[in-house]
């Protein structure tokens, strides 16, 4: 196992807080497989995902930024009691 892979897996295991994963389905710089990998490997008990189309690498500045902002606000509101 390479050191970089070990570090990535190790870091994922350390993540225990509620997690919202947002990733573009059309990102040409970062594979959506990375988001799937994080989702599978984190230790968080509360994980939500938002895979969005019609947007690219910098999702918070792209066409769907308002949808992302709304989902982030809903997520933060929902986890307040966790």
């Amino acid at each position: 196992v390479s050191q970089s892979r070990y570090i990535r897996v190790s870091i994922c295991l350390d993540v225990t807080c509620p997690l919202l994963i947002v990733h573009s389905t059309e990102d040409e710089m970062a594979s959506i497989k990375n988001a799937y990998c994080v989702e599978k490997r984190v230790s968080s008990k509360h994980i939500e995902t938002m895979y969005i189309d019609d947007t690219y690498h910098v999702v918070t500045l792209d066409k769907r930024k308002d949808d992302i902002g709304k989902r982030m606000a809903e997520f933060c509101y929902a986890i307040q009691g966790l």
Side-chain angles (χ1 to χ4, degrees):
V1 175
S2 72
Q3 176 144 355
S4 63
R5 179 171 161 66
Y6 172 78
I7 291 170
R8 287 191 310 263
V9 171
S10 175
I11 289 170
C12 282
L13 292 174
D14 289 341
V15 177
T16 59
C17 63
L19 181 63
L20 172 62
I21 299 169
V22 179
H23 202 288
S24 169
T25 58
E26 300 172 32
D27 190 330
E28 295 176 353
M29 297 189 72
S31 171
I32 198 165
K33 291 177 185 178
N34 294 325
Y36 300 149
C37 179
V38 170
E39 184 179 4
K40 281 188 347 189
R41 292 196 169 114
V42 293
S43 297
S44 301
K45 296 197 183 343
H46 184 97
I47 304 168
E48 294 183 25
T49 57
M50 180 181 191
Y51 299 116
I52 47 177
D53 60 355
D54 199 29
T55 190
Y56 300 94
H57 186 64
V58 186
V59 295
T60 56
L61 298 176
D62 216 330
K63 300 173 194 172
R64 304 277 309 271
K65 65 180 179 254
D66 293 336
D67 296 333
I68 295 165
K70 181 180 178 192
R71 179 69 184 273
M72 289 171 64
E74 291 169 351
F75 176 80
C76 290
Y77 182 77
I79 65 167
Q80 285 180 355
L82 297 180

